[in-house]
Amino acid sequence: MTPFQNLRRNFAKAVMETYAVSALNFAGLMINTNALGVLLFGQLIVIQSLTELFSGIFSFNTWQSLNRFGADDLEKGNYSKLRQRYFFALGLDFLAACTAAICAIVAFLFFIEVFGLDSELRWLGVVYGFSVAFHARSASVGIFRLLERFGIPIMFTVTEAAALAINAAVLWWIDAPLEYYVYSIAFIQVFTSVTLSACGLIMVGRMEKRGGYNEDKSFPKREFLRFAFAVSATGTVGIMLRKGEVLLISMLLGPAAAGLFGVAFRGAYFFARFADAGNVSVYPIIAKMAVSGEVAKAKDIVMRATLPVVGVALVMFTAAILGGRPALEIIFGDEFGAAYPNLLWLAAGTLTNACFFAVIPLIDIVLGATRTFVFSIISFVSFLVASIVGLSVFGLPAGGVGTAAYFATLALLAIWQVRKLPLIKAPANSPVH
């Protein structure tokens, strides 16, 4: 099977997972907005966003590091070294999760009112923040993706989304207070993360047992850490983009406005979720091709994969323009129709990003994650300027303009970089050497 055929197969699996999860999340979102209303839903969104902001800031995104460096171990059949890399990555995940939990707890205890929440919600935030200490799933997801066992993390992700949707329906039926939502959501997410990590441990242990013990199992941890930090830095910019705008709106306009924006945000990302599927599908394939020195071939595959996505993105954006407002009002309630301008701004940004789902991993792997980080920083500056100016001048209707500015800037930088790619020599620590 050719690399492009592998990509199509993995992409099909990931798309099915992505949209199954998205549909379930959308169902849960619809139930929660109708059950809680704008204000309570906004409070829930702010609690989740603040906690997930810290979780994303400290995350190492170790699945990408495992895909880059583990590809060489897999090619050589050295499962002992791959197992050691996995243990190291899992340790980084837990360290990051505990640090995020501590920061979230401190933020809720001492600064909760800064984010537009009432002080009586402090302990709900603390409970949700504490649960993040157990969210260490990236390394396990990475090992399954590297082995192209996409079905296992898909199963966990879909099951979690289904549990959250059922939980939302039950809480709506019993007319539960806000704290029930926080406690139950935290429990479901913790259970999924711990179980997935246990499965990852079992998987790498069985691989080493079948492949045979290899004494050559040490690896340069500094190199692994350097790449993980660079990827993490880029991921931090991304999480600040996704969660920062919600918090900025809550700080400036209150949690009700954050609730409206949160619905538009989920809707826009629902349109563009196929980009996530493409990203996780293409990453291990490009990593393996880079190990073999097939950079030109990898670039060709990326270009072939990008073109049809542009057409899909244009169709989706047209659908958002024509049917966005009535869809928001029908699904979430009449009061959520006010989120329509936010939906358009966010859809413009996320669909632009979707068109380049395979380009960023190519730059990441061939030229190094530091390059992507620099591009993300430049784009984030445009996000901050557009968000602050837009919200200050136009208020809530400008919510999302920052996201659009970020992805437009990143797309221009990515196009410029890929056009130069054949002329640029890969760095010495790149896997193509």
Side-chain angles (χ1 to χ4, degrees):
M1 187 176 288
T2 67
F4 191 71
Q5 289 173 326
N6 275 335
L7 172 59
R8 287 192 301 184
R9 183 193 62 186
N10 293 342
F11 181 70
K13 290 180 180 178
V15 163
M16 287 189 291
E17 172 216 7
T18 298
Y19 278 101
V21 171
S22 294
L24 290 166
N25 286 340
F26 220 66
L29 179 67
M30 177 184 67
I31 295 168
N32 286 338
T33 53
N34 283 278
L36 295 173
V38 172
L39 179 58
L40 290 178
F41 177 73
Q43 292 173 342
L44 177 63
I45 285 290
V46 174
I47 289 173
Q48 290 180 307
S49 296
L50 181 56
T51 306
E52 291 164 8
L53 174 65
F54 287 114
S55 182
I57 286 174
F58 294 104
S59 171
F60 286 101
N61 289 326
T62 51
W63 75 267
Q64 292 171 285
S65 300
L66 275 174
N67 274 242
R68 175 176 175 180
F69 297 105
D72 186 55
D73 302 333
L74 198 61
E75 185 178 49
K76 295 175 180 177
N78 191 340
Y79 299 111
S80 295
K81 183 178 288 188
L82 182 61
R83 184 168 178 258
Q84 291 302 310
R85 287 192 201 273
Y86 171 74
F87 283 151
F88 185 68
L90 189 63
L92 290 177
D93 286 346
F94 274 110
L95 175 64
C98 290
T99 304
I102 292 170
C103 291
I105 289 170
V106 170
F108 283 118
L109 284 176
F110 301 105
F111 305 102
I112 188 169
E113 293 179 351
V114 173
F115 299 98
L117 295 176
D118 296 331
S119 57
E120 59 261 24
L121 298 175
R122 178 177 290 115
W123 292 106
L124 285 184
V126 168
V127 170
Y128 198 82
F130 176 75
S131 71
V132 174
F134 302 92
H135 290 191
R137 64 176 78 183
S138 183
S140 296
V141 169
I143 200 70
F144 291 127
R145 287 175 179 169
L146 178 63
L147 299 172
E148 299 191 24
R149 300 285 298 273
F150 283 79
I152 295 175
I154 285 173
M155 177 187 69
F156 277 97
T157 308
V158 172
T159 301
E160 180 183 77
L164 289 170
I166 293 170
N167 177 68
V170 171
L171 294 178
W172 187 20
W173 182 56
I174 65 174
D175 195 23
L178 180 62
E179 52 262 39
Y180 281 41
Y181 286 81
V182 174
Y183 299 151
S184 56
I185 291 170
F187 173 79
I188 291 169
Q189 292 174 338
V190 167
F191 181 81
T192 304
S193 298
V194 172
T195 309
L196 180 60
S197 295
C199 288
L201 288 167
I202 293 170
M203 172 64 76
V204 293
R206 287 180 176 175
M207 286 173 57
E208 184 180 32
K209 187 176 180 180
R210 285 197 303 266
Y213 180 79
N214 193 318
E215 291 186 0
D216 178 24
K217 60 181 182 180
S218 62
F219 65 94
K221 294 181 175 61
R222 182 174 297 179
E223 184 183 28
F224 190 97
L225 266 175
R226 184 165 56 243
F227 186 82
F229 272 120
V231 170
S232 172
T234 303
T236 296
V237 175
I239 197 68
M240 290 175 68
L241 170 74
R242 293 192 297 275
K243 303 302 177 183
E245 200 160 13
V246 175
L247 297 174
L248 187 62
I249 288 172
S250 181
M251 293 166 65
L252 295 176
L253 306 175
L260 289 170
F261 178 82
V263 164
F265 176 88
R266 303 289 175 88
Y269 273 85
F270 178 79
F271 277 116
R273 282 300 301 274
F274 64 87
D276 296 333
N279 185 278
V280 302
S281 302
V282 78
Y283 214 97
I285 291 172
I286 293 178
K288 291 173 185 177
M289 294 181 72
V291 166
S292 304
E294 301 176 304
V295 176
K297 193 173 180 180
K299 181 182 175 181
D300 178 64
I301 288 176
V302 166
M303 294 300 102
R304 290 171 62 191
T306 299
L307 290 175
V309 176
V310 176
V312 174
L314 289 173
V315 171
M316 288 186 167
F317 189 64
T318 302
I321 293 173
L322 299 176
R325 183 181 292 275
L328 288 169
E329 293 174 349
I330 293 169
I331 296 173
F332 304 111
D334 292 342
E335 55 192 343
F336 287 93
Y340 174 67
N342 308 144
L343 178 66
L344 295 185
W345 283 117
L346 290 165
T350 56
L351 289 171
T352 299
N353 180 53
C355 294
F356 296 89
F357 76 93
V359 175
I360 299 300
L362 179 66
I363 297 171
D364 233 12
I365 292 170
V366 175
L367 298 175
T370 303
R371 191 75 55 98
T372 309
F373 173 61
V374 172
F375 290 171
S376 298
I377 289 293
I378 296 170
S379 303
F380 190 70
V381 172
S382 68
F383 160 78
L384 285 176
V385 172
S387 292
I388 294 173
V389 172
L391 289 171
S392 299
V393 176
F394 300 105
L396 185 59
V401 67
T403 297
Y406 175 90
F407 285 125
T409 305
L410 185 62
L412 291 173
L413 291 169
I415 292 170
W416 168 77
Q417 183 67 87
V418 170
R419 288 186 64 186
K420 293 180 63 179
L421 192 58
L423 307 175
I424 298 175
K425 184 179 179 181
N429 64 347
S430 172
V432 301
H433 287 277

